[in-house]
Amino acid sequence: MVMQTLNRRLLRTVRNSWLQFTALVVIIALGLLSLVLLTNVYQNMHVSKVEYYRQQSFAEVFASFTYQPSGYIDRLDNLPEIRRSEGRIVSDIRVDVGRDTHPTLRLVSISDENRLNRPLTQQGALPRGRSREVALLTRFAEANDIEVGDSVELIIRGEPFSVEVSALVDSPEFVYAIEDIKNPYPDDTNFGVAYMDLNLLQDLLGVPGQVNEATFLTAPGVSWDEARDAVQERMEGRGLRSVITRDDQLSHFMISIEMDFLQQFSFAIPLVFLAIAAAIIYMLISRLVKSDRVVIGVLKATGYDNRQVLMHYLKYALFLGFAGAALGMAAGHAFVGPTTELYMEFFELPLMQMRYDWTFIVVGVVLTLIFCGGTGVWAARDVLKISPADAMRPPAPPPGQRNLLEVSFPRLWERMSFSWKLVWRHLLRNKKRFALAVLGVAFTFTVVFFPFYALGVIDIMFIQQFEEFEVYDYAVSFEQPVGGEGISHVGELVQAELIEPFAEYPFNVSRGWREHNVVVRALSTDSTLQRFEDARGGIIEVPASGLLISQYLAEELGVGPGDRLTLSSHVTDGEEHTVEVQAVINQYLGSGIYMSRGQMNRLTGQHDHTGVLIQSNDDVKAALQNAANVASIYSTGDLIDVFDEFMGLVIVAYSTLILIGGVLGFAILFNTTSVSIEERAREFSSMRVLGYSQGEVYQALVRENILATAAGVILGIPLSRASVHLLVSMMQTEMFYLPPVINPGSYAIAGILVGIFTAVVMLAVRVRVHNLNLLEALSSRLT
Amino acid sequence: MAEPIIEAHHLTKIYNQGEVKVEALRDVSLQMWPGEFAVIVGPSGSGKSTLLNILGGMDVPTSGEVTYRGRSLQQMDEAQLTDYRRNEIGFVFQLYNLLSALTARENVELATELVAEPLGIGEVMDRVGLQQRMEHFPSQMSGGEQQRVAIARALAKNPGLLLCDEPTGALDYETGIKILGLLRELNRDYGTTVAIITHNLAVADMGDRVFRMRSGRITQVQENPEPVAAEEIVW
């Protein structure tokens, strides 16, 4: 009861500074929103993924090899490290879906004995026996308007083979369905997966009783790596192409990257927001306590004890905190469903769980208590020091002293105009607040800068990759290596300006304990369709001996120019060769190792070509769609198109980031400026009485904020640079290598945006300066 | 006969405080002459601060008019009122209202920056006896010294009219006397019209003319042919 009047005063304080209050509530809300949203989405995805993998028995180790008798593969489960092994065929073919170009279809065999990697049927029924049926990956079917019961024509070894679609399925192996690591975005129109009976597929491919892949579950207590090594050892010399664990499985790898980010951000982002909110709350409350000096004295004289008075200010912080927390958690709660669904759809992950984890409410409340409540108590601690008698006396003027500028640069100070001196005096006297404003602007700058960096860098990546490095339009891979006549045949089918053959083989590349499975591409030393640039940006040719390695792999393997790598392959029957690294090359999309044809010949003894690079304005996909020996056609144009589609999403995400940056910047600067005005109401009024106009008083504030903004932007440049470097180092993957190249224009745009935010703040506080009541400020000592 | 420097005609001022109307001024008229040292005296709540604020262009009357050298303040827009305060009026407050971040010199500079022909800063600081304290900050000065700076600040603009609201209200007796003496001296030396408002009846003896106020009215205007010196006042 005693506190009711004080509570009313509190509400009035809130009402009188509602915009400041709202800006802070929004920041806290954003923090709690991100906490609740990201952690719940992560949880839902995580649980769904684990459950999905378990239900469909997603394999843990994957081996790929040249065709081997399936009996041999099935016996691999007698390895002590292996619990179950299953052989299968995986083969990329083309499929006629009634369009001009024929998409790539990855045929995967299934049989009744299969227990691993079981597709999840969404519609229809899996193919039975040797019937001419396939089960299609749902998203491919949808993208191509194919329904259960429709017929599609597979083109196998150049011959059409009609099959009926018996089912639409999803698979734990293709949660993120991309053809290979060179195509980082799912292109559902041009790449799909079909499941087909093993025996039928063996017949169609002419490999009766054989398989070219095996998948494994590990024995209890055995790590994936141990199982992989055991398989590798057993199969070495038996045409083994690669053995990987689930960690390197393409779809799992991609989804893991995304989920790792989600998990890291789900804690980092809320903490950043709450820390900013805490800094502002500290400033607001310590200022409130200062200006309430007399009120506090009166309260204490009346009989309120320290705890009650402290509670008054703590309530302000808690009111702010819980208003923000309630808003944030409610909004977070509302967005969890739609956002989870969006993620689930992006990754074709069937939703196993849509749960709202209420424990995050507790986490949110505790965090709010710590950040807002803790700050509130800390900021209001001066309440304890105020004695009623002291408080009744007029406050001593705050101590003044020579400022840094004056002492260090006396001549500059003397030459400075008076109005600027005024500004500097005030700024240097309120260093903490100025620092908060500067940090706030620097942080805003960084948040706003990032999207522009990213957009700029994506441009650089794509332009460089496709205009300078990969200048071909298509890369065609053959099912079987061909000689010179095979290349001539391609030349007859395609209207090409230039055709360059290449040879590509998978290798296990190692240095010491570090190793990596890499498809090594061999090109002629004078290749013009694929060019290379070293780390310093100089164009280099393919060296006659030795190899070129992309920066991602160089870092992974810990090598630089002059180091030697050990290469082995099924083509070399497991024999190991050491090859010197001639240069580390810039490659932003994908990663790889390149060498001359001569070097490849020395390693493998193979002279044939496994594919061609083509420069052509012709529709090569259409021209080659019936070609017998074509395994896959990689089109740089398609990749750019798919990427462009994704840019829409990217831009939405980035705009959100800019908006958040704006809200942050506004909240910080608006609050520091408002506090500055309140604190100096008397000074400003004195100036007004002396004859300064509203505009002149306002100008002082504008100048202060211009200085804070300028300092913030200057600080923001190295800060954003460091953040970019940090983020880039976190984000490097085999698929993308983000060059930490910053377009100076990005700084300029971020600077301009931050300037606009500052201008908005200045417009918002303009009213406050205009509303300064000259008389009240001068005569009143109470607030 | 000389024109009055400032005239008030039938001023009334009504404050709406919630549902209560407070009549702070009721039909107040007065004239002040160039070079005059006027004292407006009255108990608290008599309307003297309101009158001063209206004369200084900081507040507007509910009805009536103020003319300064023949120009009506009520006809002025915001910019013209700012100009009026800037060029014609010097204010001295009870609580000094110095800018704490500025040195004494800079507080005066704050005023001299504004006008075309200010008095020299050195000169006014010398006049208020603070030549040696110019680089000190308010926190390093006593109340009397701070009030001297405030007076120097008001004076430095070389205003036509110096309005002082309880200038000794926050000072001890000796310091108060010194400040009053200083104001009188400046009034004589520079010919600046000075209006002091105070609730201290003893100060009235200093004025060339004394306006006594009560309940929003001027109840008496008293000519003082032989005003006493500040040092002779006792309270």
Side-chain angles (χ1 to χ4, degrees), chain A residues 423-445:
Chain A
V423 168
W424 277 109
R425 277 241 187 271
H426 186 262
L427 288 187
L428 293 170
R429 170 175 252 229
N430 295 284
K431 292 190 199 74
K432 269 195 224 159
R433 190 183 311 142
F434 184 57
L436 176 64
V438 170
L439 281 177
V441 172
F443 189 75
T444 305
F445 180 88

Side-chain angles (χ1 to χ4, degrees), chain A residues 397-402 413 418 422 425 429 682-683 686 688-693 696 775 778 781, chain B residues 53 58-59 78 82 85-86 91 93 97 99-103 106 109-110 113-114 135 137 139 157:
Chain A
Q401 54 187 345
R402 310 263 140 224
W413 183 257
F418 181 73
L422 206 64
R425 277 241 187 271
R429 170 175 252 229
R682 181 178 280 268
E683 288 191 2
S686 302
R688 294 275 288 114
V689 171
L690 269 177
Y692 281 84
S693 66
E696 283 162 328
L775 302 178
L778 294 179
R781 285 182 56 205
Chain B
N53 289 336
M58 293 201 293
D59 201 356
E78 182 57 39
T82 299
R85 285 198 299 271
R86 176 179 295 197
F91 259 105
F93 305 98
N97 288 324
L99 273 63
S100 56
L102 303 184
T103 61
E106 286 166 348
E109 218 175 320
L110 191 67
E113 283 275 309
L114 282 173
E135 303 308 327
F137 286 92
S139 60
K157 291 198 297 183

